Amino acid sequence: MVPDDLMSVLLVFRTDEGRPLTEFEINNSLMNLLLAGNETTTSLLTNLVWRLLEDPSRWAAVRDDRSLVGPAIEESLRFDSPVLGMFRTSLREVTLSGTTIPQKTKIQANYAAANRDPVVFTDPDEFRLDRPKEELRRHIAFGKGPHVCPGAQLSRLEADIALNALLDNFPTLRIDGPGERILPFNFWGRQRLPVAW
Ligand code: HEM
């Protein structure tokens, strides 16, 4: 019988060479999943609420027209990418936009910078609820390529449920003092976001 929970799958899994995963690999995968799926979504929620409350007319607009919840979540992911960047090692020499990166060089793929690229986004430094759909879809807050985030849809769903619950229960929510950012340099979210209602 094939198990349908992740822990058991990791235990019975066999690699291409036919060996089971080591304890280190199993621990690492679980740790990865816990960290990747926890802090990131918390940051999405705090960033989203922060930007909507920063300009109270945004909060009111989304509260009164729930079709804006989805666009607000995507614009938050673009404007305040919870994962600012990830490291990669070049497998071979590559030239990108006139810069040559030698083989085996550590580079940071900076999603946050790409998400404010003026060639891709109009008024990239503005948080806009009316950003056209085709632009919204172009952010890369979840990465790109073979390692693109497998939790993207889950975090969008969590944000949708949480924001709707806040709008329903705290329609007059407002910022109540300065907040502060989380510490890890390559993550971006609110450690504190004082609010009142
Ligand atoms: C707003 C929330 C989230 C953001 C912004 C985010 C962002 C990212 C980014 C940028 C990557 C790296 C992609 C790459 O290397 O190209 C990634 C990978 C990953 N994410 Fe997320 N993530 C979020 C939520 C989640 C959730 C909810 C889960 C799981 C429940 C999750 C699990 C993972 C895992 C396991 C990886 C590694 C994938 C791989 O290396 O193949 N993430 N995520």
Side-chain angles (χ1 to χ4, degrees):
M1 199 178 99
V2 182
D4 67 355
D5 68 283
L6 181 68
M7 288 265 213
S8 313
V9 168
L10 288 172
L11 286 173
V12 301
F13 181 79
R14 294 294 176 268
T15 64
D16 288 347
E17 307 93 59
R19 66 166 178 85
L21 295 177
T22 63
E23 197 177 318
F24 174 79
E25 286 167 335
I26 292 178
N27 278 341
N28 231 14
S29 304
L30 291 174
M31 192 60 94
N32 223 352
L33 201 57
L34 270 181
L35 288 178
N38 186 358
E39 172 134 357
T40 50
T41 309
T42 311
S43 293
L44 165 59
L45 288 176
T46 53
N47 291 338
L48 174 62
V49 171
W50 175 36
R51 293 303 181 193
L52 292 180
L53 293 181
E54 199 175 44
D55 175 350
S57 74
R58 287 187 199 137
W59 182 260
V62 180
R63 181 194 60 210
D64 298 342
D65 177 2
R66 300 304 170 92
S67 71
L68 291 175
V69 167
I73 292 171
E74 295 310 312
E75 179 68 341
S76 168
L77 285 161
R78 181 195 74 80
F79 194 76
D80 291 305
S81 308
V83 181
L84 295 174
M86 296 279 264
F87 292 97
R88 289 284 193 271
T89 309
S90 54
L91 294 177
R92 55 179 169 79
E93 183 182 288
V94 61
T95 300
L96 282 175
S97 306
T99 301
T100 300
I101 301 164
Q103 190 185 24
K104 291 192 180 159
T105 304
K106 279 269 180 272
I107 54 153
Q108 193 194 43
N110 197 311
Y111 309 124
N115 287 340
R116 301 274 191 113
D117 186 345
V119 174
V120 181
F121 301 100
T122 34
D123 305 324
D125 294 330
E126 273 179 35
F127 185 102
R128 283 178 47 182
L129 288 171
D130 64 345
R131 198 168 284 285
K133 264 203 186 98
E134 53 287 4
E135 258 194 31
L136 277 181
R137 267 194 233 113
R138 299 185 70 190
H139 76 72
I140 55 164
F142 293 111
K144 204 171 166 61
H147 292 283
V148 70
C149 177
Q153 290 310 93
L154 175 61
S155 62
R156 285 180 164 120
L157 180 64
E158 288 178 59
D160 188 290
I161 293 170
L163 182 57
N164 272 305
L166 280 173
L167 292 163
D168 286 343
N169 290 290
F170 302 99
T172 59
L173 203 67
R174 59 186 156 80
I175 289 184
D176 190 28
E180 81 193 66
R181 65 160 295 182
I182 55 171
L183 285 179
F185 78 98
N186 62 332
F187 290 138
W188 178 247
R190 300 280 96 191
Q191 176 75 28
R192 286 178 62 249
L193 179 67
V195 290
W197 57 91

